[in-house]
């Protein structure tokens, strides 16, 4: 089984600040990462990025200005 590591660049963000989420799908070369960002049960954004040949990608998202609030992220890795 391949390990997937997901790491935001910071622990908290102010409203309007860009969120960067590093994804490392170790052992995967190429492919794509799709993400769904949600607040409680409502999806608020869909993100996607190609995985590099090293199995890494960075997702970027700007939360709405009515933050701060908590968000969850669900990921799916597809491709080779």
């Amino acid at each position: 089984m391949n390990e997937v590591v997901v790491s935001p660049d910071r622990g908290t963000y102010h409203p309007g600040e860009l969120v960067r989420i590093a994804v490392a799908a170790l052992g995967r070369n190429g492919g794509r990462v799709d993400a769904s960002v949600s607040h409680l049960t409502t999806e608020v954004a869909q993100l996607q990025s190609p995985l590099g040949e090293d199995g890494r990608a960075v997702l970027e998202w700007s939360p709405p200005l009515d933050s701060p609030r908590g968000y969850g992220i669900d990921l799916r890795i597809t491709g080779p």
Side-chain angles (χ1 to χ4, degrees), residues 6-42:
V6 180
S7 305
D9 63 335
R10 297 187 12 213
T12 60
Y13 301 87
H14 294 287
E17 287 185 323
L18 184 65
V19 176
R20 288 186 183 89
I21 302 165
V23 178
L26 307 177
R28 299 289 294 261
N29 296 336
R32 186 176 81 196
V33 59
D34 295 307
S36 172
V37 180
S38 60
H39 170 67
L40 300 176
T41 60
T42 303

Side-chain angles (χ1 to χ4, degrees), residues 15-79:
E17 287 185 323
L18 184 65
V19 176
R20 288 186 183 89
I21 302 165
V23 178
L26 307 177
R28 299 289 294 261
N29 296 336
R32 186 176 81 196
V33 59
D34 295 307
S36 172
V37 180
S38 60
H39 170 67
L40 300 176
T41 60
T42 303
E43 183 180 86
V44 296
Q46 291 184 357
L47 312 172
Q48 69 178 23
S49 178
L51 287 170
E53 290 302 315
D54 60 355
R56 297 178 186 273
V58 175
L59 300 169
E60 294 184 337
W61 174 60
S62 294
L65 294 177
D66 59 350
S67 295
R69 53 170 74 165
Y71 294 95
I73 187 165
D74 292 309
L75 298 177
R76 181 175 26 185
I77 308 291
T78 60

